[in-house]
Amino acid sequence: WTDEWWRGGLTVDDWAFGLVDGARRPKPALAAVQGTFAEVPFPSSDRAKCLKVSVVVCAYNAASTMGDCLESLGRLTYPDLEVIVVNDGSTDHTAQAAMDAGAVVIHHPQNLGLGLALRSGFAVALEEGYDAVVTLDGDGQHDPAEIPRLLDAARRRHDALVIGHRVIDRSAMPLIRHWTNRFMSWIVSWLAGQSIPDTQCGFRVIRRHVLETIQLTTHRFDVATELLLASARRGWTVTSVPIRTIYQANQRSHIRPLRDGRLVHHLAAWR
């Protein structure tokens, strides 16, 4: 195609190079280009290999970011993907924003915590027969466009669990949050017997057989630690993939070092 600006007002005399002729009638080249773009980024030969995926977004009073998050998910061209939003007792318009975007919405009448919210989402995904679950935060911190990268790592390496490794400008992160993340990642990696540089990242791919064979019991943000250690105890490998993080300076960390430290002390008996 050409337009007035690029032609400088001149008439194009030779249309041999284009996808249409001078009267804008499609040429065979147009069908070839359309067919090629239909195969991007998932050629038909690879579609059968793609995991059937449910994206679980847990949200509490996230109406201001939910629309953008789900809009980004809607732009993905992944062949078989469903979005489940767990509205964990929000008092704002989170649920309505999710429904307006066409997501499947699970309602908790009151705030029960991330652990129970994830378990609600996992139960629906398993019941509907999905091969894997992607979890990400609804606060805009994670970029849904990176989901295919995590899924590709899970498919190629056949790993049970793939977790994001956030690349963050340390100067933008509160010091206590930075050191808490480093401490938790160090001790959980030691307990798991494998290096996991960002154990508290909420951007993950979890295979179906993991969710079917581990029993999660924690209710709040300590579920991140429990999930990794339970998987490691089963002998499964956890792969980390570097991801971009859209960090907001006014976001508060929900990790509590003392509370999560007690969890780690309790789970240390597994080693």
Side-chain angles (χ1 to χ4, degrees), residues 11-231:
T11 300
V12 176
D13 297 319
D14 182 7
W15 287 84
F17 69 91
L19 302 179
V20 296
D21 62 19
R24 298 296 201 262
R25 291 182 298 242
K27 296 184 348 188
L30 178 58
V33 171
Q34 288 175 324
T36 299
F37 273 90
E39 297 285 302
V40 177
F42 301 101
S44 55
S45 59
D46 289 347
R47 289 176 187 264
K49 304 176 186 177
C50 292
L51 298 170
K52 184 180 179 183
V53 175
S54 178
V55 179
V56 174
V57 182
C58 297
Y60 175 66
N61 288 344
S64 62
T65 56
M66 183 57 59
D68 289 341
C69 174
L70 297 181
E71 182 180 351
S72 296
L73 284 168
R75 288 196 293 266
L76 295 179
T77 57
Y78 192 81
D80 200 341
L81 183 144
E82 175 192 57
V83 179
I84 298 173
V85 173
V86 183
N87 175 39
D88 192 28
S90 299
T91 56
D92 62 3
H93 301 296
T94 295
Q96 189 61 52
M99 288 187 289
D100 290 345
V104 175
V105 181
I106 301 172
H107 297 277
H108 286 178
Q110 60 187 23
N111 183 245
L112 301 178
L114 178 63
L116 286 173
L118 282 174
R119 284 151 62 184
S120 293
F122 294 161
V124 172
L126 292 177
E127 182 180 350
E128 296 183 353
Y130 284 90
D131 300 319
V133 172
V134 173
T135 66
L136 78 161
D137 298 341
D139 60 5
Q141 181 182 146
H142 302 140
D143 184 358
E146 295 195 283
I147 288 177
R149 293 181 56 242
L150 272 67
L151 290 173
D152 185 57
R155 182 177 64 86
R156 286 187 294 103
R157 297 172 58 92
H158 303 288
D159 289 327
L161 202 156
V162 175
I163 185 170
H165 177 199
R166 291 168 290 184
V167 180
I168 302 174
D169 179 2
R170 293 182 182 178
S171 65
M173 174 183 280
L175 189 61
I176 183 62
R177 185 169 182 176
H178 169 68
W179 285 109
T180 298
N181 283 345
R182 289 198 62 179
F183 169 74
M184 291 298 298
S185 296
W186 175 79
I187 197 167
V188 172
S189 294
W190 176 72
L191 291 173
Q194 53 187 301
S195 176
I196 311 172
D198 192 358
T199 61
Q200 303 307 301
C201 180
F203 204 177
R204 321 173 187 87
V205 176
I206 312 165
R207 292 272 195 159
R208 179 184 184 88
H209 60 264
V210 175
L211 298 175
E212 289 178 328
T213 54
I214 64 173
Q215 184 176 1
L216 299 175
T217 60
T218 51
H219 292 187
R220 297 195 178 278
F221 283 83
D222 40 3
V223 68
T225 299
E226 183 183 30
L227 175 63
L228 293 174
L229 293 182
S231 299

